[in-house]
């Protein structure tokens, strides 16, 4: 042990960690520090010059205490995952962020409402009744049709059934004249082959036609003089 009264030779140790965290080896500054200590000791042994043995031992002791303090204050070693594991984690995180971004963008997309089509559909099912006084063709926006042609049979040209599957037409007689289709495309109420008859020559009779994509199916016929029994 050095004498308590010995005066240490001022040898200031480096103020950096003893171990370089980048290489896992002793730091270059500490290497040079220890090298200088070795050179001083070598000079004392070989030449007998320089600081006394007690002074040199006191310097070593002070330097070792400083090294011990440095070691006590070093941060804990962090074990990083293997490169392939780290890459997999990063890739998974990037994928999750990308998926979340897609979901956020989807929530921000506003639905496109075709108001014109909606209005046209509403108008097609709620149009006002149209009165006909001569042979006529059903227009695209007509649903309720009244035959008021006098003197002879009224002929109606119905829309092409294949272009209007599911469309409903309501027809009514104001005149005691028959109402017939211009083509054999009306299936009677009792079924069977398609024909041309729609309304009999009775004022007040009504009929409902529905397109099945091939013909117009008569789904209802109400005679004006029907007798209702309770």
């Amino acid at each position: 042990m050095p004498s308590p009264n010995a005066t240490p030779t001022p040898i200031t140790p480096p103020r950096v960690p003893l171990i370089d965290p980048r290489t896992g080896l002793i730091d270059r500054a500490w290497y040079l520090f220890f090298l200088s200590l070795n050179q001083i000791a070598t000079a004392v042994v070989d030449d007998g010059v320089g600081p006394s043995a007690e002074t040199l031992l006191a310097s070593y002791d002070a330097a070792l205490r400083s090294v011990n303090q440095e070691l006590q204050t070093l941060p804990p070693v962090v074990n990083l995952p293997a490169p392939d594991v780290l890459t997999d984690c990063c890739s998974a995180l990037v994928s999750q962020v990308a998926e979340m971004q897609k979901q956020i963008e989807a929530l921000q997309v506003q639905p496109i409402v075709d108001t014109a089509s909606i209005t046209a559909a509403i108008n097609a099912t709620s149009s006002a009744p149209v009165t006909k006084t001569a042979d006529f063709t059903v227009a695209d926006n007509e649903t309720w049709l009244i035959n008021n042609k006098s003197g002879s049979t009224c002929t109606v040209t119905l829309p092409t059934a294949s272009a209007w599957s599911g469309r409903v037409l309501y027809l009514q007689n104001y005149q005691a004249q028959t109402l017939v289709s211009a083509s054999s495309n009306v299936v009677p109420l009792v079924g069977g082959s398609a024909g041309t008859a729609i309304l009999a020559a009775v004022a007040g009779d009504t009929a409902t036609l529905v397109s099945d994509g091939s013909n117009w199916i008569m789904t209802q016929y109400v005679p004006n003089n029907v007798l209702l029994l309770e």
Side-chain angles (χ1 to χ4, degrees):
M1 293 291 294
S3 172
N5 299 322
T7 302
T9 301
I11 305 176
T12 305
R15 299 299 181 184
V16 295
L18 177 64
I19 302 301
D20 189 336
R22 297 170 299 178
T23 63
L25 304 175
I26 186 171
D27 188 86
R28 182 175 183 274
W30 278 104
Y31 168 77
L32 295 176
F33 169 70
F34 288 128
L35 181 61
S36 66
L37 292 180
N38 179 68
Q39 290 173 346
I40 293 172
T42 302
V44 171
V45 173
D46 294 343
D47 302 330
V49 297
S52 66
E54 287 187 342
T55 301
L56 188 59
L57 288 174
S59 299
Y60 288 167
D61 188 55
L64 289 175
R65 285 197 300 270
S66 177
V67 171
N68 183 62
Q69 291 177 357
E70 289 288 341
L71 291 175
Q72 295 299 324
T73 58
L74 284 177
V77 177
V78 178
N79 294 322
L80 295 176
D84 55 338
V85 175
L86 184 60
T87 301
D88 293 342
C89 293
C90 292
S91 299
L93 183 59
V94 170
S95 299
Q96 292 176 6
V97 172
E99 181 61 27
M100 185 177 297
Q101 183 65 29
K102 290 180 181 178
Q103 295 178 6
I104 293 174
E105 292 175 354
L107 291 175
Q108 294 175 343
V109 175
Q110 298 296 325
I112 300 175
V113 179
D114 189 349
T115 55
S117 298
I118 294 175
T119 302
I122 294 174
N123 291 338
T125 58
S126 61
S127 61
V130 181
T131 300
K132 306 293 186 178
T133 58
D135 296 345
F136 64 94
T137 298
V138 178
D140 291 349
N141 62 340
E142 293 177 340
T143 301
W144 302 86
L145 301 131
I146 299 172
N147 170 33
N148 198 28
K149 177 184 177 182
S150 61
S152 63
T153 296
C154 180
T155 301
V156 54
T157 301
L158 298 172
T160 304
S162 60
W164 293 93
S165 181
R167 183 177 178 181
V168 181
L169 297 176
Y170 303 94
L171 302 109
Q172 182 175 348
N173 255 347
Y174 272 6
Q175 298 286 331
Q177 303 293 336
T178 56
L179 176 66
V180 298
S181 173
S183 304
S184 296
N185 57 359
V186 179
V187 177
L189 191 62
V190 296
S193 300
T196 60
I198 300 176
L199 291 175
V202 179
D205 281 11
T206 62
T208 302
L209 303 181
V210 180
S211 170
D212 68 349
S214 298
N215 292 296
W216 289 92
I217 309 300
M218 186 175 294
T219 60
Q220 188 176 39
Y221 190 101
V222 181
N224 185 39
N225 59 356
V226 65
L227 178 62
L228 297 178
L229 301 177
E230 296 184 356

